[in-house]
Amino acid sequence: MGRWFLFLLGLLLTVSGGRGSGGNVTYDGRSLIIDGQHKILFSGSIHYPRSTPQMWPSLIAKAKAGGLDVIETLVFWNLHEPQPGQFDFSGRRDIVRFIKEIRAQGLYACIRIGPFIQGEWSYGGLPFWLHDIPGIVYRSDNEPFKYQMQKFVSKIVSMMKAENLYASQGGPIILSQIENEYGMVQAAFREKGPAYLRWAAEMAVGLQTGVPWVMCKQDDAPDPVINACNGRRCGETFAGPNSPNKPAIWTENWTSFYQVYGDEAEIRSAEDIAFHVVLFIAKKGSYVNYYMYHGGTNFGRNAAAYMLTGYYDQAPLDEYGLFRQPKWGHLKELHAAIKLCSKPLVSGVYTTMALGRSQQAFVYRGNSVDCAAFLVNNDTRKNVGVTFLDSLYELPPKSISILPDCKTEAFNTAKVSTQYNTRAVETRQKLDSIEKWEEFKEAIPTFEKTTLRANMLLEHMNTTKDTSDYLWYTFRFQNDFSDAQYVLNVTSTAHVLHAFVNGASVGFTHGSYKTKTPNLERKVTLSTGTNHISLLSGMVGLPDSGAYLERRVAGVSRVIIKGEHEIKDFTSYSWGYQVGLLGEKLQVYTDFGSSKIQWNTYGSSTHRPLTWYKTLFDAPVGKEPVALNLESMGKGEAWVNGQSIGRYWVSFLTPKGRPSQTWYNVPRSFLKPTNNLLVILEEQSGYPLGISVDTISITKVCGHVSDSHLPPVISWRGQNKTEENHHKKHHGRRPKVQLRCPPGRNISSILFSSYGNPSGDCGSYAIGSCHSSSSLAIVEEACLGKRICSIPVWSQKFGDDPCPGIPKTLLVDAQCT
């Protein structure tokens, strides 16, 4: 039915006034329409395999409490079909269970099938076995790839239909995505690019899910597929829907940015996120998805090249599922304020007006009652007073005020009234007993012990088939000089490289996310007679992006040994190969595999790289998230009770001289009460006696609110901004410091309290020149012993005005125990 089907669908859209087909979910130029109602929707990315089924209910509940309507997830092809036709939807892979949990909590779902997803996921989510299909070219008008892609997408759609999970069947899925950011690589495929794009859209629509499809970063998405924006500033950068009959959708609003080993964390403020969300909505946007809302953990070997095991830890819900404040709370307030504007946003007449050189109003008017306005100050340096509908408003730098009735401010993006919190680490068990550790030295293979041979250097990824990070390259040669000094020079396109001469380590080097090639040059001593060279090539995740991914290469590409009188090039030589490590083959990280080898007491032999360590530990009492502190280690991978908690690379320091990641998440569901098996593969020179089992929790909460802040949105009742209301503003409509400890903890002490003009912020503070002497007593009375408390920023609350005429602020820092 091909192009003729798309033509008919486009015709129907035109005849019906631009609404896309899809049963209970349609769309027009204003928004998605669900069960006949236009919707302004907030969504958050939570990827099911980056957390555990035991965590899913809590994560989804916290997202719902934060004002989200939709949970979005990518679909991970290489996780579900690791070998052709062999599918796995168990445990963390159980996407059906995940979608059903979303439904159970009353939220909608968006599934971004891809099936190329990028997502900082190894190989962009594509299974590596595709590489071996003759003539295949990924993501192009290529029959072998299209055949496999259609099979997998159809499989996922069929699974969702079988469980009645599409909205057209009464389920939660209101939106699906095909492909991912294809516009970034399309030109590389020349005429094959547009043809593939049209095919992908037609294929997806032809599956008849009854809900709309989207393509992100695809300005030419074929009708009826909706083109969507990805980025941090889609209110500024998005050219808009490619048809007036399509809604403006933001599929990835990056809440921070992915982090690679060797880089510092990139923090994005709550104020900046809020500004760009409101700007997008003000410019007719109707759907915003936070990427990520909870990043989670790249367990096992699933992270892409150089990516941290912890993923988007700076998201509103951190790696462990704890609230990242003020980000979570500030966005919750934003969502509540936007929802107050829903009616005029989806049905009102849209106009704009200039309020100054860098100030603007976006206005939506419905009937005589319904009106919403967004007052924007783009000046990044100063507060600006603007007049709108005969009222004066003070706008902080780079901020937007939301007026749900075109009169009263309900929210300003730069005024953070929600609490800040501090994540604390408590050491629960030190694994520092020599008697409890055992070790197993990884065998260094020689040419004689290999069975895979070639008279050339093999490419790393095509040889390992993604079954291991590691590939051994070995060769032997005859040296006729007695103990001569030589230089070993190895050129590599892998991520890490270890070199051994006659079983002894002679060097280690690595690349980085930006500097790809870890070449090695070392002086070596060779024996007279036969010498054995063993090179271990390592990948820290496969590449995840770019055109022609199937053509990427890695591994050792040239080997030269230089002497005083000669240079020997071993590139075209007789090589022996071993895929993976012996410990991996024996699965020494499992109870069964561990019991089948001879472990030695810790420190029983001289240290060298590539050593396996094991010990037992008990689970910490309580429910707080658990993490291993691996600061004393170098680089490798860790397993708990046979489950990989991911790669670690503590020795790769940032420009500030610290590890990119020190704590590594161990989900509670991985643990038994006692005798948990911990196995560590250490590539370098780590010190396992420095490892500790820690718990992560929120122990401090802080509020910092001034009298110029706005009251909580929940108290908004559409009051007119009149002189009478200004003076008779009741207690419920005042700015407040609101503190909330995590479940199971109460406020045990007030560490700091000052009503006046305290200096600093929640990170560092001091009493200023104006301070109410009753500050501490008032706050202690309101908060001590409680999990939740609220104190209005109001002079009468504190007995009197300590310094008339000076703007007041209340700063409270509290301990949760």
Side-chain angles (χ1 to χ4, degrees):
M1 55 193 199
R3 293 191 179 97
W4 179 244
F5 173 78
L6 282 178
F7 170 76
L8 284 177
L9 222 86
L11 188 61
L12 282 171
L13 281 171
T14 304
V15 171
S16 63
R19 296 186 178 186
S21 69
N24 293 331
V25 184
T26 57
Y27 64 76
D28 61 15
R30 298 305 288 261
S31 72
L32 293 179
I33 305 169
I34 303 175
D35 291 332
Q37 293 185 338
H38 286 82
K39 296 283 188 178
I40 303 295
L41 297 170
F42 293 102
S43 170
S45 292
I46 301 175
H47 296 160
Y48 53 97
R50 283 176 159 141
S51 53
T52 64
Q54 293 74 18
M55 295 171 68
W56 295 344
S58 173
L59 294 172
I60 294 167
K62 289 175 179 177
K64 182 178 181 179
L68 295 194
D69 310 287
V70 186
I71 302 297
E72 175 273 340
T73 185
L74 299 172
V75 180
F76 300 80
W77 187 0
N78 56 7
L79 207 61
H80 293 306
E81 193 177 6
Q83 296 299 325
Q86 298 178 16
F87 292 97
D88 188 351
F89 293 95
S90 63
R92 290 184 293 106
R93 301 167 178 83
D94 194 345
I95 183 174
V96 168
R97 178 177 172 181
F98 183 71
I99 301 296
K100 285 182 175 180
E101 181 61 38
I102 295 170
R103 178 178 64 188
Q105 298 209 32
L107 297 180
Y108 299 122
C110 169
I111 56 172
R112 300 173 66 191
I113 300 176
F116 170 81
I117 56 172
Q118 188 167 337
E120 294 70 61
W121 192 263
S122 193
Y123 220 46
L126 300 178
F128 196 82
W129 52 260
L130 289 173
H131 185 274
D132 295 333
I133 296 175
I136 197 165
V137 179
Y138 305 161
R139 307 175 71 198
S140 177
D141 188 23
N142 170 267
E143 292 306 321
F145 180 72
K146 292 193 298 182
Y147 173 76
Q148 295 296 335
M149 173 175 167
Q150 183 167 5
K151 262 206 324 183
F152 179 74
V153 174
S154 299
K155 168 83 174 178
I156 297 298
V157 169
S158 296
M159 287 177 62
M160 299 301 110
K161 284 183 176 181
E163 299 288 344
N164 295 318
L165 293 177
Y166 283 104
S168 55
Q169 304 171 296
I173 302 173
I174 59 169
L175 205 60
S176 301
Q177 179 177 303
I178 193 71
E179 250 298 336
N180 189 61
E181 298 185 345
Y182 189 68
M184 298 180 69
V185 299
Q186 180 174 324
F189 296 102
R190 299 186 179 181
E191 72 281 358
K192 297 282 188 178
Y196 165 72
L197 180 73
R198 291 189 296 270
W199 170 84
E202 181 179 331
M203 182 268 291
V205 172
L207 293 173
Q208 299 181 10
T209 63
V211 304
W213 289 84
V214 298
M215 286 181 170
C216 61
K217 283 195 175 182
Q218 195 66 51
D219 293 341
D220 58 346
D223 291 342
V225 177
I226 304 166
N227 61 301
C229 184
N230 286 1
R232 299 188 193 204
R233 300 180 294 111
C234 283
E236 296 174 351
T237 62
F238 187 42
N242 61 18
S243 162
N245 301 319
K246 297 178 183 180
I249 288 178
W250 190 352
T251 35
E252 289 189 15
N253 178 9
W254 304 330
T255 55
S256 58
F257 203 60
Y258 63 75
Q259 190 178 355
V260 297
Y261 283 110
D263 278 4
E264 305 283 352
E266 192 170 331
I267 310 298
R268 189 180 181 197
S269 71
E271 297 93 322
D272 184 63
I273 298 173
F275 178 90
H276 289 286
V277 169
V278 177
L279 186 63
F280 185 74
I281 297 293
K283 293 184 175 181
K284 296 188 177 182
S286 60
Y287 181 105
V288 177
N289 176 69
Y290 298 103
Y291 190 101
M292 300 289 296
Y293 199 76
H294 163 73
T297 305
N298 289 314
F299 298 108
R301 299 172 45 253
N302 289 318
Y306 293 103
M307 296 296 163
L308 258 61
T309 297
Y311 188 62
Y312 273 82
D313 185 41
Q314 295 294 327
L317 299 177
D318 70 11
E319 181 182 1
Y320 306 96
L322 301 175
F323 293 114
R324 177 72 72 179
Q325 296 281 30
K327 199 170 283 186
W328 181 87
H330 194 51
L331 295 178
K332 176 183 179 178
E333 287 282 284
L334 179 158
H335 303 149
I338 292 291
K339 289 303 174 75
L340 293 173
C341 308
S342 290
K343 191 172 181 180
L345 277 173
V346 298
S347 61
V349 176
Y350 169 74
T351 59
T352 64
M353 63 180 72
L355 302 177
R357 180 177 296 178
S358 301
Q359 293 74 41
Q360 190 175 17
F362 297 86
V363 184
Y364 291 81
R365 291 186 181 276
N367 53 35
S368 58
V369 176
D370 296 326
C371 183
F374 303 87
L375 311 185
V376 181
N377 179 18
N378 278 307
D379 193 311
T380 59
R381 299 164 299 162
K382 60 184 180 180
N383 285 16
V384 176
V386 298
T387 299
F388 174 71
L389 298 183
D390 300 324
S391 292
L392 181 65
Y393 300 86
E394 186 83 6
L395 303 180
K398 197 67 176 179
S399 75
I400 305 177
S401 280
I402 300 176
L403 284 58
D405 59 358
C406 284
K407 297 177 182 179
T408 312
E409 286 183 275
F411 180 85
N412 181 276
T413 59
K415 295 180 178 180
V416 178
S417 296
T418 193
Q419 72 180 21
Y420 295 72
N421 62 18
T422 302
R423 193 168 73 181
V425 178
E426 181 182 354
T427 297
R428 303 294 288 272
Q429 185 180 351
K430 293 183 177 180
L431 305 181
D432 55 359
S433 173
I434 293 178
E435 293 77 17
K436 292 185 178 180
W437 281 99
E438 295 179 283
E439 65 183 32
F440 171 71
K441 301 290 185 183
E442 178 69 25
I444 309 301
T446 58
F447 180 85
E448 290 83 359
K449 295 181 179 179
T450 60
T451 55
L452 176 61
R453 305 284 174 83
N455 292 322
M456 59 184 294
L457 290 168
L458 298 180
E459 195 276 325
H460 180 122
M461 293 183 288
N462 192 41
T463 307
T464 64
K465 309 296 184 187
D466 196 28
T467 58
S468 171
D469 285 349
Y470 305 103
L471 176 63
W472 284 102
Y473 293 73
T474 69
F475 72 96
R476 63 188 176 187
F477 75 100
Q478 195 76 13
N479 178 38
D480 298 328
F481 294 93
S482 175
D483 296 325
Q485 281 287 329
Y486 280 78
V487 174
L488 173 66
N489 187 292
V490 184
T491 302
S492 173
T493 53
H495 298 154
V496 298
L497 180 68
H498 295 265
F500 298 83
V501 175
N502 297 322
S505 173
V506 296
F508 165 80
T509 189
H510 65 84
S512 69
Y513 187 70
K514 295 177 181 176
T515 307
K516 306 293 185 183
T517 307
N519 296 334
L520 181 143
E521 185 169 282
R522 295 289 189 277
K523 291 182 178 179
V524 297
T525 300
L526 302 178
S527 303
T528 301
T530 303
N531 287 265
H532 298 274
I533 309 296
S534 303
L535 306 173
L536 181 62
S537 171
M539 297 293 286
V540 187
L542 300 188
D544 71 332
S545 60
Y548 300 108
L549 196 59
E550 72 281 353
R551 299 180 188 177
R552 301 294 179 85
V553 294
V556 175
S557 56
R558 191 176 187 188
V559 178
I560 295 172
I561 296 180
K562 302 176 184 178
E564 294 181 15
H565 307 292
E566 61 179 331
I567 297 176
K568 292 185 177 181
D569 189 337
F570 294 92
T571 303
S572 297
Y573 200 71
S574 182
W575 288 85
Y577 298 89
Q578 176 183 302
V579 174
L581 305 178
L582 177 61
E584 289 180 298
K585 181 180 179 181
L586 299 175
Q587 295 188 334
V588 301
Y589 46 82
T590 65
D591 282 324
F592 180 79
S594 175
S595 67
K596 296 300 181 183
I597 65 168
Q598 180 62 51
W599 292 86
N600 298 311
T601 57
Y602 176 78
S604 59
S605 61
T606 57
H607 172 79
R608 66 164 171 75
L610 298 175
T611 301
W612 297 80
Y613 298 101
K614 78 161 185 171
T615 192
L616 299 174
F617 70 94
D618 296 339
V621 175
K623 297 181 179 180
E624 294 96 343
V626 178
L628 290 179
N629 183 341
L630 299 180
E631 188 173 14
S632 65
M633 303 303 287
K635 178 188 179 298
E637 190 172 350
W639 291 260
V640 174
N641 295 327
Q643 299 198 65
S644 174
I645 63 170
R647 304 182 184 96
Y648 66 88
W649 200 348
V650 182
S651 61
F652 196 162
L653 302 181
T654 70
K656 293 183 179 179
R658 56 193 179 193
S660 295
Q661 184 176 350
T662 300
W663 283 272
Y664 290 79
N665 180 27
V666 185
R668 285 274 180 180
S669 59
F670 285 15
L671 298 173
K672 304 177 293 183
T674 60
N675 293 324
N676 294 284
L677 175 65
L678 169 62
V679 176
I680 303 273
L681 166 63
E682 173 57 41
E683 286 186 36
Q684 296 180 285
S685 55
Y687 179 65
L689 272 66
I691 297 174
S692 64
V693 181
D694 299 347
T695 52
I696 314 295
S697 59
I698 304 300
T699 59
K700 287 173 62 179
V701 292
C702 177
H704 186 202
V705 177
S706 73
D707 55 12
S708 66
H709 278 63
L710 297 166
V713 174
I714 196 171
S715 69
W716 197 89
R717 294 291 181 270
Q719 298 174 5
N720 290 335
K721 188 180 177 68
T722 64
E723 204 58 34
E724 179 184 4
N725 282 326
H726 179 73
H727 290 295
K728 294 184 179 179
K729 197 189 306 185
H730 57 78
H731 181 86
R733 284 288 296 159
R734 294 193 174 278
K736 296 176 182 178
V737 165
Q738 300 180 96
L739 302 179
R740 180 188 297 262
C741 288
R745 292 176 180 260
N746 292 330
I747 295 172
S748 57
S749 64
I750 303 300
L751 304 174
F752 179 86
S753 176
S754 179
Y755 176 74
N757 63 352
S759 63
D761 53 30
C762 280
S764 176
Y765 43 71
I767 290 175
S769 59
C770 172
H771 169 72
S772 171
S773 59
S774 62
S775 297
L776 182 60
I778 295 296
V779 172
E780 285 182 336
E781 182 181 1
C783 297
L784 282 183
K786 300 178 181 178
R787 181 174 167 241
I788 302 169
C789 67
S790 175
I791 312 104
V793 183
W794 187 26
S795 293
Q796 292 185 32
K797 178 68 177 176
F798 291 88
D800 57 12
D801 191 336
C803 37
I806 295 178
K808 306 300 185 301
T809 292
L810 176 60
L811 198 159
V812 180
D813 195 16
Q815 185 78 39
C816 294
T817 303

